[in-house]
């Protein structure tokens, strides 16, 4: 089950009592009871049937057990659920099933297994990622491996019995068992439910058949019915072996190690446990060990403790159920009691809400609830939202802003009006009535006035855009602005594809990865060598085959509005080409050569130069020579090379040092600029984030020293790709 079935792949094997001739069972209800994989299985098959846990197949008026048939993952989970619901006397609630329905449907889980799979998901016996291997396609189930089945049963039994603080196993094929599986395998062995075959082999990777399943089911049920012991009520008692499973909420240093609080569930009820670690605590992650200090808030763990001190901690999954792993933005297109759908550009996606009762929700900057937001949306209100997701892609926080108009890109802002890229312009209500807000990450900040927003707009990089949700009064004047700054939809033209990853659905160009969305319909165009493709997997397969044939593939890519996924892509088979990048070391305009590091590249008279230098551009080799030799500028470049010749030189001036020739001061930082005394006339603009060092602490100090006191001020500038000053060091 990869490492994802409960983040552990535990061993599954059935106890096989003896080997010999299969006896006949005349009184059996099964017509094929003599057709067994090993002697002794009939007893368990009959018992599982009589317990109402395993049924047979009715064919032509006869009942067949089909003991040699394999068991699927869905069937295995169903059997586990049948046993646990009988033992505990409860069944999964309809609300829990509803909570997980979208997740199960997305993974093609058959509806008859919904109750069982929802129970397993709710009680952390399965994770969402585990479901990916349950089905081969929409209608075909995958057969379950014995180790995976043992994980399912072991995790279920671990809610009743304690795991060992120092678990070990001694099977002949123990090396084939994941390290993190050992505690569960030890538990099943200790309970005499799974003890290996007559050769002391566990055979963890083999498929499990119905005869083996009958042994597991019968023994598990009889063990639970005969024991009836539940988890200790006083888990902190010294010397008592207990286990805590869930998500790390906090981790603080102590004199001898750490104190860790874990949020988990017992019988569907949320509960928080706290334990400590010491130098002897072992942390197991996958097939290796790590240290306690590597654990972080949000990690999913199982801690086996002696009293309140952890002896072993299993890292089940890195991530967080309360800390955002990523955010998604868009407009709400639908809400249910447990899901929220948002639309961004042409894409629409539905997300599960982790816990609607505790999910943090703000509407227009004020605290609210999920239920309130749902009611308002369903009542006709429109909202733009930023969703914070955990590592399971579940929503844990919603920042919602209402408005008549949303997602509009700003073309310009002045103190009198705001103009959108669609050509519409709006005035404002009076200053004391105008509300201006800026969304940043998962927080929303209220700005003092429209001038603050103007400064934010002026400080944007060329690769960024500002979109706004506007609330208008009856005169169509703006009374509220909620602005968001994000990356523009980017594109890549004529770049060479270096590799394709079909499993993770991305292509690689240089060091950059371009990902495809989950749904085929979210990609508007996929063309390769003149052919149009409808499915992402077939498109990537075609690219992969071409690369295997040593073809050179050129891609023209347009990303979606959020700059996350490919929206359009056209790939052609081109001539041999490559790229190079780094710090420009030298340029020889006579020989027409460019040197990066120790490598020299030839360029021609038709080579295109485009180097950002402040608000100016270096667009030929002579100017580039002056920038390097005369002005001693540090320049980062990227070369496009075809047939061993440079066709394009792109880049930016990264740093430059010279005396200030002109300084223009303005109280708005983004309107301040400096011109240096060198061969360039470039203006280098400040931003509100520019850092200062040396003799001047801010732009006012530079203005006083240079303009008022007539000092000779030497400046060392560090610039970003847009030519803006990120750092300035001054001396005079």
């Amino acid at each position: 089950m990869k490492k994802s079935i409960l983040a552990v792949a535990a061993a599954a094997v059935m106890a096989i009592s003896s080997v010999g001739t299969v006896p006949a069972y005349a009184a059996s209800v099964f017509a094929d009871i003599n057709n067994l994989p090993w002697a002794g299985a009939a007893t368990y098959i009959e018992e599982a049937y009589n317990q109402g846990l395993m049924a047979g197949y009715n064919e032509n008026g006869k009942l067949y057990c089909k003991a040699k048939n394999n068991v699927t993952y869905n069937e295995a989970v169903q059997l586990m659920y049948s046993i646990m619901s009988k033992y505990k006397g409860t069944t999964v609630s309809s609300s829990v099933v509803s909570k997980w329905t979208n997740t199960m449907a997305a993974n093609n889980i058959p509806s008859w297994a919904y109750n069982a799979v929802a129970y397993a998901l709710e009680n952390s016996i399965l994770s969402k990622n585990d479901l990916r291997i349950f089905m081969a396609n929409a209608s075909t189930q995958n057969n379950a491996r014995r180790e995976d089945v043992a994980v399912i049963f072991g995790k279920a039994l671990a809610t009743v019995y304690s795991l060992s603080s120092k678990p070990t196993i001694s099977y002949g094929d123990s090396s084939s068992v994941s390290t993190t599986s050992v505690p569960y395998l030890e538990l099943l062995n200790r309970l005499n439910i799974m003890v290996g075959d007559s050769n002391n082999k566990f055979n963890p990777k083999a498929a499990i058949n119905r005869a083996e399943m009958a042994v597991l089911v019968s023994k598990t049920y009889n063990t639970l019915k005969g024991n009836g012991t539940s988890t200790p009520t006083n888990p902190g008692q010294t010397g008592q072996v207990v286990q805590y499973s869930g998500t790390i909420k906090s981790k603080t240093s102590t004199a001898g190690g750490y104190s860790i609080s874990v949020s988990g569930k017992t019988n569907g009820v949320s509960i928080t446990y706290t334990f400590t670690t010491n130098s002897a605590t072992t942390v197991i992650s996958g097939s290796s060990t790590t240290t306690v200090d590597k654990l972080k808030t949000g990690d999913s763990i199982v801690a086996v403790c002696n009293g309140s001190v952890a002896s072993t901690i299993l890292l089940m999954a890195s991530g967080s159920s309360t800390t955002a792993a990523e955010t998604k933005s868009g407009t709400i297109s639908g809400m249910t009691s447990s899901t929220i759908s948002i639309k961004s550009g042409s894409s629409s996606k539905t997300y599960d809400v982790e816990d609607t009762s505790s999910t943090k929700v703000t509407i227009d900057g004020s605290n609210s609830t999920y239920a309130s937001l749902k009611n308002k949306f369903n009542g006709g209100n429109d909202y733009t939202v930023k969703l914070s997701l955990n590592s399971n892609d579940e929503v844990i926080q919603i920042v919602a802003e209402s408005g008549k108009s949303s997602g509009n890109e700003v073309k310009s802002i002045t103190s009198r009006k705001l103009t959108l890229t669609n050509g519409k312009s709006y005035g404002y209500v009076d200053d004391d009535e105008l509300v201006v807000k800026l969304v940043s990450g998962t927080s929303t900040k209220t700005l003092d006035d429209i001038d603050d927003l103007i400064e934010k707009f002026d400080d944007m990089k060329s690769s960024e855009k500002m979109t706004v949700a506007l609330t208008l009064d009856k005169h169509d004047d703006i009374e509220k602005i909620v602005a968001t700054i994000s990356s523009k939809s980017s594109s890549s033209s004529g770049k060479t594809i270096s590799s394709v990853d079909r499993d993770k659905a991305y292509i690689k160009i240089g060091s950059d990865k371009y990902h495809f969305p989950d749904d085929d319909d979210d990609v508007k165009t996929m063309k390769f060598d003149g052919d149009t493709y409808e499915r992402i997997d077939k498109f990537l397969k075609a690219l992969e085959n071409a690369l295997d044939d040593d073809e050179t593939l050129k891609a023209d890519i347009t990303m979606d509005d959020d700059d996350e996924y490919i929206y359009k892509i056209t790939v052609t088979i081109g001539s041999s080409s490559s790229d190079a990048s780094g710090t420009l070391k030298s340029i020889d305009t006579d020989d027409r050569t460019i040197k990066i590091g120790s490598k020299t590249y030839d360029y021609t008279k038709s080579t295109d130069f485009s180097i950002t230098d402040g608000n100016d551009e270096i667009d030929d080799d002579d100017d580039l020579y002056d920038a390097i030799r005369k002005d001693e500028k540090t320049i980062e470049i990227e070369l496009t090379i075809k047939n061993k010749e440079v066709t394009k030189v792109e880049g930016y001036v990264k740093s430059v040092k010279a005396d200030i020739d002109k300084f223009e001061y303005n109280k708005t930082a983004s309107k301040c600029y400096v011109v240096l005394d060198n061969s360039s006339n470039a203006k280098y603009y400040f931003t509100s984030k520019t850092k200062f060092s040396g003799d001047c602490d801010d732009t006012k100090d530079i203005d006083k020293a240079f303009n008022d006191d007539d000092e000779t001020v030497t400046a060392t500038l560090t610039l970003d790709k847009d030519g803006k000053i990120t750092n300035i060091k001054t001396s005079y």
Side-chain angles (χ1 to χ4, degrees):
M1 268 187 172
K2 299 184 179 178
K3 188 192 169 185
S4 53
I5 194 150
L6 315 159
V8 259
V13 71
M14 307 304 135
I16 301 175
S17 55
S18 61
V19 177
T21 304
V22 179
Y25 290 86
S28 175
V29 296
F30 296 110
D32 59 343
I33 194 63
N34 294 326
N35 186 19
L36 303 176
W38 78 87
T43 300
Y44 296 102
I45 293 172
E46 298 282 359
E47 192 167 16
Y49 175 80
N50 292 329
Q51 290 166 340
L53 297 172
M54 292 184 72
Y57 299 85
N58 277 301
E59 295 178 1
N60 300 320
K62 295 182 179 179
L63 193 64
Y64 294 86
C65 63
K66 298 188 178 182
K68 295 180 181 180
N69 283 14
N70 290 328
V71 176
T72 68
Y73 286 109
N74 290 304
E75 291 170 337
V77 175
Q78 180 65 51
L79 288 166
M80 175 277 299
Y81 171 64
S82 296
I83 293 171
M84 298 308 295
S85 59
K86 273 197 173 193
Y87 168 68
K88 294 187 176 182
T90 59
T91 57
V92 67
S93 68
S94 59
S95 61
V96 169
V97 176
S98 177
K99 172 183 175 181
W100 294 104
T101 294
N102 285 338
T103 298
M104 294 186 289
N107 288 277
N108 298 316
I109 302 300
S111 58
W112 59 261
Y114 272 17
N115 283 10
V117 174
Y119 171 86
L121 289 166
E122 184 70 11
N123 290 279
S124 299
I125 296 170
L126 293 174
S127 73
K128 289 171 66 175
N129 288 335
D130 300 335
L131 303 187
R132 295 177 180 176
I133 65 168
F134 274 41
M135 302 293 294
N137 51 51
S139 58
T140 305
Q141 299 184 56
N142 283 327
N143 292 325
R145 299 189 310 176
R146 301 204 299 184
E147 60 178 333
D148 298 340
V149 172
V151 174
I152 296 167
F153 276 74
K155 289 291 289 184
L157 287 169
T159 64
V160 180
Y161 301 92
S162 295
L163 297 174
S164 170
S165 61
K166 294 292 182 183
T168 59
I169 55 174
S170 57
Y171 296 106
D173 52 359
S174 295
S175 60
S176 299
V177 178
S178 172
T179 305
T180 49
S181 307
V182 172
Y184 298 102
L185 183 53
E186 189 279 336
L187 172 63
L188 297 171
N189 182 284
R190 174 164 31 105
L191 295 174
N192 197 35
I193 293 175
M194 298 184 182
V195 296
D197 63 17
S198 58
N199 296 316
N200 195 35
K201 291 293 182 69
F202 207 71
N203 308 312
K205 308 303 180 185
I208 185 171
N209 60 43
R210 285 177 58 83
E212 293 170 322
M213 200 73 202
V215 178
L216 172 61
V217 166
S218 178
K219 283 195 169 189
T220 298
Y221 182 67
N222 287 334
T223 298
L224 286 169
K225 187 174 64 173
N227 183 288
T229 303
S230 61
T231 304
T233 57
N234 181 19
Q237 181 179 334
T238 303
Q240 194 172 47
V241 177
V242 294
Q243 67 207 39
Y244 307 123
S245 61
T247 302
I248 296 177
K249 294 296 183 183
S250 66
K251 187 183 79 168
T252 56
S253 298
T254 63
Y258 291 90
S259 175
I260 298 176
S261 292
V262 173
S263 176
K265 288 186 177 180
T266 299
N267 296 325
V269 178
S270 297
I271 189 169
T272 299
Y273 311 98
T274 300
F275 59 88
T276 59
T277 68
N278 56 30
S279 59
T281 302
T282 300
V283 180
I284 301 174
S285 175
S287 59
S288 61
T289 59
T290 184
T291 55
V292 178
D293 63 291
K294 300 296 184 183
L295 297 176
K296 63 183 183 298
T297 301
D299 285 346
S300 178
I301 66 166
V302 172
V304 182
C305 303
N306 279 314
S308 60
V309 180
S311 55
T312 303
I313 298 175
L314 289 82
L315 177 59
M316 312 298 282
S318 296
S320 171
S321 63
T322 58
T323 300
E326 61 176 327
T327 59
K328 298 290 184 182
S329 299
T331 57
I332 299 179
S333 57
M335 294 183 74
T336 70
S337 59
S338 60
T339 66
I340 182 169
S341 301
I342 63 171
K343 186 174 182 180
S344 178
S346 62
S347 300
S348 183
K349 190 167 184 179
T350 299
Y351 299 93
D352 292 323
V353 181
E354 184 191 44
D355 186 348
T356 56
S357 62
S358 62
T359 297
K360 184 177 179 181
V361 179
T362 60
I363 301 176
D364 296 331
S366 300
N367 290 332
S368 187
T369 63
Y370 182 84
S372 177
L373 179 62
K374 180 170 74 73
N375 290 338
K376 289 180 179 180
F377 171 77
N378 291 334
N381 292 293
D382 293 327
Y383 294 95
T384 58
V385 292
K386 185 177 288 290
L387 308 180
S388 297
L389 310 178
N390 63 18
S391 58
N392 290 325
D393 278 348
E394 296 169 327
V395 178
I396 58 175
Q397 184 174 357
I398 304 173
V399 176
E401 296 289 343
S402 59
K404 292 183 180 179
S405 177
S406 61
N408 296 303
E409 185 175 349
V410 177
K411 181 180 180 181
S412 64
I413 312 177
T414 69
S415 58
R416 296 182 59 188
K417 66 179 181 179
L418 181 148
T419 303
L420 304 175
T421 54
N422 61 13
K424 294 183 179 180
S425 294
Y426 302 91
Y428 315 109
V429 297
D430 293 339
D431 289 344
D432 57 349
E433 297 178 354
L434 179 63
V435 177
V436 183
K437 296 188 176 187
L438 181 67
V439 178
S440 178
T442 57
S443 63
T444 301
K445 179 181 179 182
T446 300
L447 305 182
D448 291 337
D449 50 36
I450 193 64
D451 288 336
D452 284 352
L453 188 62
I454 293 173
E455 182 172 349
K456 296 292 184 183
F457 182 79
D458 291 340
D459 281 350
M460 289 193 313
K461 299 177 181 179
S462 61
S463 59
E464 294 178 322
K465 65 179 179 180
M466 178 182 288
T467 54
V468 289
L470 306 178
T471 301
L472 309 178
D473 67 4
K474 62 182 180 180
H475 303 295
D476 280 345
D477 287 330
I478 301 172
E479 60 183 16
K480 183 177 181 180
I481 305 172
V482 179
T484 303
I485 296 175
S486 60
S487 297
K488 291 181 180 178
S489 177
S490 64
S491 62
S492 176
S493 179
K495 299 289 184 164
T496 302
I497 298 175
S498 56
S499 64
V500 172
D501 191 316
R502 292 172 58 202
D503 292 333
K504 297 180 179 179
Y506 69 76
I507 62 174
K508 196 170 183 181
I509 296 175
S511 60
D512 296 325
K513 295 177 181 177
Y514 295 82
H515 290 265
F516 286 83
D518 294 333
D519 298 327
D520 297 325
D521 292 339
D522 288 340
V523 186
K524 184 175 182 179
T525 305
M526 286 185 288
K527 293 183 178 181
F528 172 50
D529 201 25
D531 295 327
T532 299
Y533 290 78
E534 301 295 333
R535 290 178 52 183
I536 295 171
D537 57 343
K538 289 188 175 182
F539 180 71
L540 291 174
K541 177 63 175 176
L543 299 185
E544 187 177 62
N545 291 339
L547 289 175
D548 289 342
D549 292 338
D550 294 327
E551 297 284 6
T552 299
L553 304 184
K554 296 290 188 176
D556 291 334
I557 300 171
T558 299
M559 303 298 286
D560 64 12
D561 289 340
D562 291 329
D563 204 25
E564 290 185 273
Y565 300 111
I566 293 173
Y567 181 56
K568 296 179 182 179
I569 180 169
T570 300
V571 179
T572 57
I573 298 176
S575 58
S576 177
S577 66
S578 61
D579 298 314
S581 61
T583 303
L584 176 62
K585 186 173 183 180
S586 65
I587 181 170
D588 189 322
T589 57
D590 293 328
D591 293 338
R592 293 199 177 98
T593 59
I594 291 176
K595 193 171 185 180
I596 300 177
S598 60
K599 292 187 177 181
T600 301
Y601 303 89
D602 295 325
Y603 69 92
T604 68
K605 289 178 65 176
S606 59
T607 297
D608 182 26
F609 289 83
S610 179
I611 311 293
T612 299
D613 186 10
N615 74 333
D616 200 3
E617 183 179 66
I618 300 171
D619 56 8
D620 61 43
D621 56 350
D622 288 330
D623 286 347
L624 185 56
Y625 177 86
D626 289 342
I628 289 290
R629 294 296 298 271
K630 294 182 180 180
D631 301 337
E632 297 182 347
K633 296 176 180 177
T634 300
I635 301 176
E636 293 295 311
I637 61 172
E638 181 178 336
L639 309 180
T640 300
I641 305 168
K642 292 184 179 180
N643 299 321
K644 299 183 179 181
E645 287 188 339
V646 177
T647 60
K648 191 170 187 178
V649 182
E650 299 174 286
Y652 69 101
V653 175
K654 185 177 183 180
S655 64
V656 57
K657 179 180 179 180
D659 292 341
I660 294 178
D661 184 56
K662 179 181 179 180
F663 178 75
E664 182 70 25
Y665 174 74
N666 190 289
K667 68 176 182 178
T668 301
S670 60
K671 295 181 180 179
C672 296
Y673 67 84
V674 62
V675 177
L676 300 180
D677 185 15
N678 55 30
S679 64
S680 170
N681 292 317
K683 296 176 182 179
Y684 301 99
Y685 280 85
F686 293 76
T687 74
S688 59
K689 297 180 181 179
T690 299
K691 296 180 180 179
F692 295 81
S693 62
D695 294 336
C696 299
D697 294 331
D698 52 32
T699 53
K700 286 184 178 180
D701 285 353
I702 299 175
D703 182 46
K704 183 178 184 302
F706 182 78
N707 290 325
D708 296 343
D709 300 339
D710 202 26
E711 295 281 0
T712 299
V713 181
T714 302
T716 302
L717 309 181
T718 303
L719 309 169
D720 62 19
K721 293 181 179 181
D722 296 302
K724 305 278 182 74
I725 302 172
T726 59
N727 294 274
I728 178 170
K729 182 178 181 181
T730 53
S731 62
Y732 59 88

